[in-house]
Amino acid sequence: MSLNTATSPVAKDRLSAFVKLGKLSFYDYYLSAFIVWAALPGARTWDGTTFAVILLYIAGYVGVVAATVALDDVTGIRDGSDARNYSPESGALRDLSRKPLLSGALTVRQAELFGWGAMAWGAVMWSLVFVIAPENSLWVGLLMVAVLVSNVQYSYGLKISYNFGQEIILVSPGLAILIPYVLLTGEATGLVILESALFGLWSLLVSIYSNMNDVEGDRLAGRRNLATLTTASTYRKIIVGAHLLEPLAVAVAIAVGAVPVWFVALMVPLWAMRVSQARSGVGQGNLLQARMLGIKLHRWGVPVLLLANVLELHV
Protein backbone atom coordinates (compact mmCIF):
# COMPACT_ATOMS: atom_id res chain seq x y z
CA MET A 1 0.00 0.00 0.00
CA SER A 2 2.75 2.40 0.90
CA LEU A 3 4.54 1.59 -2.36
CA ASN A 4 1.48 2.52 -4.42
CA THR A 5 1.07 5.70 -2.42
CA ALA A 6 4.70 6.62 -3.04
CA THR A 7 4.81 5.88 -6.73
CA SER A 8 1.41 7.21 -7.78
CA PRO A 9 2.33 10.92 -7.57
CA VAL A 10 5.54 10.24 -9.50
CA ALA A 11 3.65 8.46 -12.27
CA LYS A 12 1.10 11.27 -12.35
CA ASP A 13 3.83 13.91 -12.62
CA ARG A 14 5.54 11.94 -15.38
CA LEU A 15 2.29 11.66 -17.34
CA SER A 16 1.69 15.39 -16.91
CA ALA A 17 5.19 16.09 -18.20
CA PHE A 18 4.59 14.02 -21.35
CA VAL A 19 1.27 15.80 -21.92
CA LYS A 20 3.10 19.13 -21.76
CA LEU A 21 5.94 17.87 -23.94
CA GLY A 22 3.47 16.89 -26.68
CA LYS A 23 1.42 20.08 -26.22
CA LEU A 24 -1.63 17.82 -25.99
CA SER A 25 -3.68 20.60 -24.38
CA PHE A 26 -3.14 22.79 -27.47
CA TYR A 27 -6.18 21.69 -29.44
CA ASP A 28 -6.38 24.46 -32.03
CA TYR A 29 -5.19 22.44 -35.02
CA TYR A 30 -7.62 19.61 -34.24
CA LEU A 31 -10.63 21.91 -34.55
CA SER A 32 -10.19 21.36 -38.28
CA ALA A 33 -12.24 18.17 -37.84
CA PHE A 34 -15.42 20.18 -37.24
CA ILE A 35 -14.77 22.35 -40.29
CA VAL A 36 -14.30 19.29 -42.51
CA TRP A 37 -17.48 17.65 -41.22
CA ALA A 38 -19.56 20.83 -41.66
CA ALA A 39 -18.34 21.22 -45.25
CA LEU A 40 -19.39 17.74 -46.37
CA PRO A 41 -22.40 17.27 -48.67
CA GLY A 42 -25.51 15.85 -47.00
CA ALA A 43 -25.17 12.25 -48.16
CA ARG A 44 -21.66 12.00 -46.74
CA THR A 45 -22.25 13.87 -43.46
CA TRP A 46 -23.73 11.03 -41.37
CA ASP A 47 -21.94 8.10 -43.00
CA GLY A 48 -20.05 5.84 -40.60
CA THR A 49 -16.96 5.92 -42.79
CA THR A 50 -16.95 9.69 -42.54
CA PHE A 51 -16.63 9.65 -38.77
CA ALA A 52 -13.97 6.94 -38.91
CA VAL A 53 -11.86 8.89 -41.42
CA ILE A 54 -12.12 12.18 -39.53
CA LEU A 55 -11.47 10.67 -36.09
CA LEU A 56 -8.54 8.55 -37.27
CA TYR A 57 -7.05 11.47 -39.18
CA ILE A 58 -7.20 13.73 -36.13
CA ALA A 59 -5.85 10.93 -33.90
CA GLY A 60 -2.92 10.62 -36.29
CA TYR A 61 -2.46 14.37 -36.47
CA VAL A 62 -2.21 14.52 -32.68
CA GLY A 63 0.72 12.11 -32.98
CA VAL A 64 2.35 14.12 -35.77
CA VAL A 65 2.09 17.39 -33.84
CA ALA A 66 3.25 15.77 -30.59
CA ALA A 67 6.29 14.33 -32.37
CA THR A 68 7.07 17.69 -33.96
CA VAL A 69 6.98 19.73 -30.75
CA ALA A 70 8.71 17.06 -28.64
CA LEU A 71 11.65 16.77 -31.03
CA ASP A 72 11.68 20.56 -31.36
CA ASP A 73 12.18 20.75 -27.60
CA VAL A 74 15.00 18.20 -27.83
CA THR A 75 16.81 20.43 -30.29
CA GLY A 76 15.97 23.53 -28.26
CA ILE A 77 17.53 22.09 -25.11
CA ARG A 78 20.62 20.91 -26.97
CA ASP A 79 21.41 24.20 -28.70
CA GLY A 80 20.38 26.33 -25.72
CA SER A 81 17.73 28.32 -27.59
CA ASP A 82 14.89 27.32 -25.25
CA ALA A 83 16.89 28.30 -22.17
CA ARG A 84 17.52 31.73 -23.67
CA ASN A 85 14.01 32.24 -25.05
CA TYR A 86 12.34 31.22 -21.78
CA SER A 87 14.61 33.26 -19.54
CA PRO A 88 12.96 35.74 -17.14
CA GLU A 89 14.12 38.59 -19.36
CA SER A 90 12.58 37.26 -22.60
CA GLY A 91 9.95 34.84 -21.33
CA ALA A 92 7.24 37.18 -20.11
CA LEU A 93 3.76 35.68 -20.39
CA ARG A 94 5.34 32.25 -20.85
CA ASP A 95 4.96 29.36 -18.45
CA LEU A 96 8.27 27.55 -17.92
CA SER A 97 6.40 24.40 -16.86
CA ARG A 98 5.36 24.02 -20.51
CA LYS A 99 8.96 22.99 -21.18
CA PRO A 100 9.53 19.78 -19.17
CA LEU A 101 13.08 19.42 -20.49
CA LEU A 102 13.96 22.84 -19.12
CA SER A 103 12.30 22.17 -15.78
CA GLY A 104 14.01 18.78 -15.52
CA ALA A 105 10.74 16.82 -15.41
CA LEU A 106 11.93 14.70 -18.37
CA THR A 107 15.27 13.70 -19.83
CA VAL A 108 16.30 14.27 -23.43
CA ARG A 109 16.26 10.51 -24.00
CA GLN A 110 12.69 10.24 -22.72
CA ALA A 111 11.63 13.12 -24.97
CA GLU A 112 13.23 11.51 -28.02
CA LEU A 113 11.52 8.18 -27.37
CA PHE A 114 8.21 9.98 -26.91
CA GLY A 115 8.73 11.90 -30.16
CA TRP A 116 9.51 8.82 -32.24
CA GLY A 117 6.67 6.91 -30.61
CA ALA A 118 4.25 9.74 -31.41
CA MET A 119 5.46 9.76 -35.01
CA ALA A 120 4.87 6.01 -35.28
CA TRP A 121 1.38 6.47 -33.85
CA GLY A 122 0.66 9.16 -36.43
CA ALA A 123 1.96 6.99 -39.27
CA VAL A 124 -0.22 4.04 -38.21
CA MET A 125 -3.36 6.14 -37.82
CA TRP A 126 -2.88 7.84 -41.19
CA SER A 127 -2.22 4.50 -42.87
CA LEU A 128 -5.56 3.29 -41.56
CA VAL A 129 -7.21 6.46 -42.80
CA PHE A 130 -5.84 5.95 -46.28
CA VAL A 131 -6.99 2.34 -46.35
CA ILE A 132 -10.61 3.04 -45.34
CA ALA A 133 -11.09 6.39 -47.11
CA PRO A 134 -13.63 6.34 -49.97
CA GLU A 135 -11.33 8.41 -52.21
CA ASN A 136 -7.74 7.40 -51.51
CA SER A 137 -5.92 8.94 -54.46
CA LEU A 138 -2.17 8.41 -54.65
CA TRP A 139 -1.39 12.12 -54.62
CA VAL A 140 -3.28 12.55 -51.35
CA GLY A 141 -1.34 9.66 -49.81
CA LEU A 142 1.94 11.22 -50.92
CA LEU A 143 0.82 14.55 -49.45
CA MET A 144 0.12 12.85 -46.11
CA VAL A 145 3.58 11.30 -46.15
CA ALA A 146 5.12 14.69 -46.97
CA VAL A 147 3.29 16.34 -44.05
CA LEU A 148 4.36 13.60 -41.65
CA VAL A 149 8.02 13.60 -42.69
CA SER A 150 8.42 17.38 -42.97
CA ASN A 151 6.77 18.06 -39.62
CA VAL A 152 8.92 15.58 -37.74
CA GLN A 153 11.99 17.11 -39.44
CA TYR A 154 10.85 20.62 -38.41
CA SER A 155 13.63 21.17 -35.86
CA TYR A 156 15.16 17.70 -35.78
CA GLY A 157 17.09 15.73 -38.36
CA LEU A 158 16.95 17.95 -41.44
CA LYS A 159 16.01 20.91 -39.18
CA ILE A 160 13.73 22.53 -41.76
CA SER A 161 12.92 25.41 -39.42
CA TYR A 162 16.64 26.12 -39.08
CA ASN A 163 17.15 26.25 -42.83
CA PHE A 164 14.74 28.79 -44.33
CA GLY A 165 11.62 26.60 -44.06
CA GLN A 166 10.06 27.67 -40.78
CA GLU A 167 7.41 30.01 -42.17
CA ILE A 168 6.47 27.71 -45.07
CA ILE A 169 5.94 24.55 -43.04
CA LEU A 170 3.80 26.38 -40.48
CA VAL A 171 1.11 26.76 -43.13
CA SER A 172 0.67 22.97 -43.10
CA PRO A 173 -2.13 22.97 -40.46
CA GLY A 174 -4.44 24.08 -43.26
CA LEU A 175 -3.92 20.68 -44.86
CA ALA A 176 -5.77 19.19 -41.89
CA ILE A 177 -8.88 20.51 -43.62
CA LEU A 178 -7.98 19.83 -47.24
CA ILE A 179 -6.64 16.27 -46.89
CA PRO A 180 -9.53 14.61 -45.01
CA TYR A 181 -12.09 16.47 -47.14
CA VAL A 182 -10.52 15.15 -50.35
CA LEU A 183 -10.22 11.66 -48.85
CA LEU A 184 -13.97 11.72 -48.21
CA THR A 185 -15.24 13.42 -51.37
CA GLY A 186 -12.54 13.09 -54.01
CA GLU A 187 -12.58 16.81 -54.72
CA ALA A 188 -11.72 20.18 -53.22
CA THR A 189 -14.29 22.95 -53.45
CA GLY A 190 -13.31 26.59 -53.65
CA LEU A 191 -14.59 27.21 -50.14
CA VAL A 192 -12.59 24.30 -48.69
CA ILE A 193 -9.43 25.50 -50.42
CA LEU A 194 -9.96 28.99 -49.00
CA GLU A 195 -10.66 27.63 -45.53
CA SER A 196 -7.50 25.52 -45.70
CA ALA A 197 -5.48 28.60 -46.63
CA LEU A 198 -7.02 30.67 -43.84
CA PHE A 199 -6.50 27.94 -41.24
CA GLY A 200 -2.83 27.79 -42.17
CA LEU A 201 -2.48 31.56 -42.15
CA TRP A 202 -4.01 31.76 -38.70
CA SER A 203 -1.29 29.46 -37.45
CA LEU A 204 1.34 31.63 -39.13
CA LEU A 205 -0.14 34.77 -37.54
CA VAL A 206 0.65 33.23 -34.16
CA SER A 207 4.15 31.96 -34.87
CA ILE A 208 5.54 35.09 -36.50
CA TYR A 209 5.18 36.97 -33.23
CA SER A 210 6.94 34.15 -31.35
CA ASN A 211 9.73 34.26 -33.91
CA MET A 212 10.26 37.99 -33.43
CA ASN A 213 10.26 37.58 -29.65
CA ASP A 214 12.79 34.72 -29.86
CA VAL A 215 15.01 36.31 -32.48
CA GLU A 216 18.16 36.74 -30.38
CA GLY A 217 18.09 33.22 -28.97
CA ASP A 218 17.36 31.79 -32.42
CA ARG A 219 20.26 33.70 -33.98
CA LEU A 220 22.65 32.31 -31.40
CA ALA A 221 21.31 28.82 -32.10
CA GLY A 222 21.90 29.24 -35.84
CA ARG A 223 18.23 29.23 -36.86
CA ARG A 224 17.79 30.88 -40.25
CA ASN A 225 14.30 32.28 -40.69
CA LEU A 226 12.84 35.60 -41.74
CA ALA A 227 13.15 37.01 -38.22
CA THR A 228 16.84 36.15 -37.81
CA LEU A 229 17.85 37.12 -41.36
CA THR A 230 16.23 40.56 -41.42
CA THR A 231 16.27 43.68 -39.31
CA ALA A 232 13.54 44.34 -36.75
CA SER A 233 12.12 47.05 -38.99
CA THR A 234 11.99 44.78 -42.03
CA TYR A 235 10.43 41.95 -40.06
CA ARG A 236 7.69 44.24 -38.78
CA LYS A 237 6.85 44.96 -42.42
CA ILE A 238 6.81 41.21 -43.11
CA ILE A 239 4.34 40.75 -40.25
CA VAL A 240 2.08 43.44 -41.70
CA GLY A 241 2.30 41.69 -45.06
CA ALA A 242 1.31 38.38 -43.45
CA HIS A 243 -1.74 40.08 -41.98
CA LEU A 244 -2.71 41.38 -45.40
CA LEU A 245 -2.57 37.87 -46.87
CA GLU A 246 -5.81 37.02 -45.07
CA PRO A 247 -8.08 39.58 -46.77
CA LEU A 248 -6.13 39.07 -50.01
CA ALA A 249 -6.93 35.35 -50.00
CA VAL A 250 -10.62 36.10 -49.49
CA ALA A 251 -10.59 38.73 -52.25
CA VAL A 252 -8.96 36.33 -54.71
CA ALA A 253 -11.44 33.58 -53.83
CA ILE A 254 -14.35 35.94 -54.47
CA ALA A 255 -12.81 37.25 -57.70
CA VAL A 256 -12.50 33.74 -59.16
CA GLY A 257 -15.97 32.77 -58.01
CA ALA A 258 -14.77 30.25 -55.42
CA VAL A 259 -16.85 31.78 -52.60
CA PRO A 260 -19.80 34.19 -52.46
CA VAL A 261 -19.38 37.86 -51.60
CA TRP A 262 -21.18 37.36 -48.28
CA PHE A 263 -18.07 35.57 -46.97
CA VAL A 264 -16.54 39.01 -46.35
CA ALA A 265 -19.28 39.89 -43.86
CA LEU A 266 -18.37 36.82 -41.79
CA MET A 267 -14.71 37.80 -41.70
CA VAL A 268 -15.10 41.49 -40.77
CA PRO A 269 -15.21 40.92 -36.96
CA LEU A 270 -12.05 38.82 -37.14
CA TRP A 271 -10.29 41.43 -39.25
CA ALA A 272 -11.20 44.14 -36.75
CA MET A 273 -9.45 42.10 -34.06
CA ARG A 274 -6.50 41.50 -36.39
CA VAL A 275 -5.96 45.25 -36.39
CA SER A 276 -5.72 45.12 -32.60
CA GLN A 277 -3.26 42.23 -32.85
CA ALA A 278 -1.04 44.10 -35.29
CA ARG A 279 -1.24 47.28 -33.23
CA SER A 280 -0.20 45.40 -30.10
CA GLY A 281 2.64 43.45 -31.71
CA VAL A 282 3.95 45.70 -34.48
CA GLY A 283 2.98 49.10 -33.10
CA GLN A 284 3.54 48.64 -29.38
CA GLY A 285 6.05 45.80 -29.35
CA ASN A 286 3.93 43.55 -27.10
CA LEU A 287 4.89 40.47 -29.07
CA LEU A 288 3.69 37.73 -26.75
CA GLN A 289 0.45 39.59 -26.10
CA ALA A 290 -0.08 39.72 -29.87
CA ARG A 291 0.74 36.01 -30.02
CA MET A 292 -1.92 35.23 -27.41
CA LEU A 293 -4.47 37.29 -29.33
CA GLY A 294 -3.54 35.35 -32.46
CA ILE A 295 -4.31 32.07 -30.64
CA LYS A 296 -7.72 33.43 -29.61
CA LEU A 297 -8.46 34.58 -33.15
CA HIS A 298 -7.54 31.13 -34.46
CA ARG A 299 -10.16 29.65 -32.15
CA TRP A 300 -12.76 32.33 -32.85
CA GLY A 301 -12.28 31.79 -36.57
CA VAL A 302 -13.48 28.20 -36.37
CA PRO A 303 -17.18 29.04 -35.76
CA VAL A 304 -16.91 31.57 -38.59
CA LEU A 305 -15.86 28.83 -40.99
CA LEU A 306 -18.50 26.48 -39.61
CA LEU A 307 -21.15 29.09 -40.33
CA ALA A 308 -19.74 29.64 -43.81
CA ASN A 309 -20.05 25.93 -44.56
CA VAL A 310 -23.63 25.79 -43.30
CA LEU A 311 -24.62 28.81 -45.37
CA GLU A 312 -22.88 27.47 -48.47
CA LEU A 313 -24.66 24.13 -48.23
CA HIS A 314 -28.10 25.19 -47.09
CA VAL A 315 -28.74 28.76 -48.25
Side-chain angles (χ1 to χ4, degrees), residues 37-46 191 260 262 305-315:
W37 183 77
L40 293 171
R44 177 60 64 186
T45 305
W46 300 104
L191 180 57
W262 52 253
L305 299 187
L306 291 176
L307 179 57
N309 287 336
V310 170
L311 291 175
E312 176 74 2
L313 291 172
H314 302 292
V315 176

Side-chain angles (χ1 to χ4, degrees), residues 71-291:
L71 295 175
D72 178 68
D73 279 6
V74 168
T75 299
I77 202 73
R78 283 175 171 167
D79 64 20
S81 59
D82 275 355
R84 287 185 289 267
N85 294 337
Y86 279 76
S87 67
E89 294 77 17
S90 63
L93 300 182
R94 282 179 162 181
D95 181 3
L96 186 61
S97 69
R98 293 173 57 245
K99 293 286 186 177
L101 293 182
L102 276 180
S103 67
L106 294 173
T107 67
V108 171
R109 180 60 176 165
Q110 288 170 331
E112 282 186 304
L113 289 174
F114 174 86
W116 287 114
M119 185 201 72
W121 167 268
V124 170
M125 291 298 102
W126 280 5
S127 296
L128 291 174
V129 169
F130 191 73
V131 169
I132 69 171
E135 303 288 344
N136 47 5
S137 302
L138 177 61
W139 73 268
V140 181
L142 292 175
L143 186 58
M144 293 169 70
V145 172
V147 172
L148 172 65
V149 173
S150 62
N151 274 264
V152 173
Q153 301 289 320
Y154 176 70
S155 294
Y156 192 90
L158 295 177
K159 293 187 176 181
I160 294 172
S161 69
Y162 281 64
N163 295 289
F164 312 106
Q166 186 173 22
E167 290 80 10
I168 297 174
I169 199 174
L170 283 169
V171 181
S172 69
L175 295 175
I177 295 175
L178 183 65
I179 290 175
Y181 186 86
V182 174
L183 285 171
L184 287 166
T185 66
E187 62 178 2
T189 66
L191 180 57
V192 166
I193 292 173
L194 174 61
E195 289 176 341
S196 300
L198 292 176
F199 205 75
L201 278 172
W202 293 344
S203 173
L204 185 63
L205 289 171
V206 173
S207 66
I208 53 176
Y209 288 103
S210 296
N211 292 349
M212 190 171 186
N213 181 78
D214 298 345
V215 63
E216 294 306 323
D218 285 347
R219 279 193 180 123
L220 290 173
R223 192 189 295 266
R224 289 171 288 182
N225 58 23
L226 290 176
T228 61
L229 296 174
T230 60
T231 65
S233 175
T234 299
Y235 194 66
R236 282 193 292 269
K237 294 175 183 175
I238 291 172
I239 292 177
V240 172
H243 276 279
L244 294 176
L245 287 176
E246 191 174 4
L248 177 62
V250 174
V252 170
I254 292 174
V256 300
V259 298
V261 177
W262 52 253
F263 192 87
V264 173
L266 300 181
M267 295 295 296
V268 167
L270 291 180
W271 290 342
M273 292 301 296
R274 286 290 179 202
V275 174
S276 297
Q277 183 190 16
R279 183 186 299 117
S280 177
V282 178
Q284 301 171 357
N286 298 323
L287 299 173
L288 294 179
Q289 182 177 325
R291 176 184 177 274

